[in-house]
Amino acid sequence: MMTENPDKLNNQAILLASDGAYNEAIACFKRALVIQKENYLLWFNLGVTYRDAGELHDAKRALAMAYQIAPDKPDVAETYATIALMLKQLQEVKRICEDGLDYNPLNVQLWNLMGVADFQMEDFEEAAEFFEQAVSINPYYLDALYNLRDTYSVLKNKNGEAECDAKIRELEK
């Protein structure tokens, strides 16, 4: 009798998901997780597949498991926080990002996501600080530059807005 191999199931599931066969992919990940419940990558890939299938609540549950196992992995924290953002769970986004930044203080995506959450909560001053932090770590990070420009615009900071515009134009050449 052949025993199922989690790595093979993971690879098979990724191929299925890339073909849009999400239900089959999810079934593969679940079979692999029966064998290796503590494999963060299986939980992560399951979460991403649920996300791609439009099942955001299931995606969040799977990513929460991945994050519990491997909170130090930047892609896990970023994806988990992004799903929470998609679900408009803004306090949750901030909690995940703050935790993630304890492990990776230079993670520009997490700084940016914190800013997006604050922006959506209309805390524009704090949002600007988070976007500024992201841009100070990586001056070429366009998402944060656009977000910072928009935040400066709301705050009526014309100089800051103009600086961001100039930097964006320079980077888009």
Side-chain angles (χ1 to χ4, degrees):
M1 182 177 150
M2 290 271 302
T3 53
E4 291 191 307
N5 174 322
D7 289 337
K8 284 189 178 142
L9 286 167
N10 182 53
N11 293 339
Q12 186 183 348
I14 290 170
L15 285 173
L16 287 164
S18 70
D19 285 339
Y22 299 121
N23 292 338
E24 294 85 348
I26 288 164
C28 273
F29 286 127
K30 286 180 173 177
R31 284 208 311 276
L33 282 162
V34 168
I35 304 164
Q36 270 187 356
K37 207 165 206 59
E38 293 301 307
N39 184 330
Y40 92 90
L41 194 57
L42 291 172
W43 285 109
F44 176 76
N45 290 339
L46 176 62
V48 168
T49 304
Y50 272 130
R51 177 201 67 199
D52 294 349
E55 305 288 339
L56 294 183
H57 291 283
D58 288 330
K60 186 170 175 246
R61 278 192 287 279
L63 286 158
M65 289 298 297
Y67 187 72
Q68 201 177 325
I69 298 164
D72 57 318
K73 301 283 189 230
D75 52 345
V76 174
E78 291 161 21
T79 308
Y80 183 30
T82 301
I83 297 293
L85 185 65
M86 292 166 82
L87 291 167
K88 300 280 183 241
Q89 298 169 344
L90 303 177
Q91 292 301 336
E92 185 82 354
V93 172
K94 294 199 59 178
R95 184 191 61 74
I96 296 163
C97 290
E98 285 165 3
D99 288 351
L101 287 165
D102 285 344
Y103 294 97
N104 299 291
L106 299 180
N107 184 316
V108 291
Q109 282 87 355
L110 294 178
W111 286 109
N112 187 56
L113 284 163
M114 295 251 292
V116 171
D118 272 328
F119 190 93
Q120 290 187 9
M121 290 189 273
E122 297 184 11
D123 186 345
F124 302 114
E125 302 283 339
E126 190 165 288
E129 287 178 26
F130 290 132
F131 296 138
E132 286 164 358
Q133 184 66 38
V135 171
S136 74
I137 295 167
N138 179 356
Y140 305 101
Y141 186 38
L142 275 170
D143 286 357
L145 276 168
Y146 280 116
N147 290 335
L148 184 57
R149 180 193 63 192
D150 296 347
T151 306
Y152 283 158
S153 173
V154 172
L155 292 170
K156 312 261 186 278
N157 176 345
K158 295 293 175 215
N159 291 343
E161 196 178 344
E163 273 180 51
C164 288
D165 266 332
K167 186 76 179 166
I168 289 166
R169 275 196 303 278
E170 182 187 314
L171 291 175
E172 287 184 332
K173 278 183 183 161

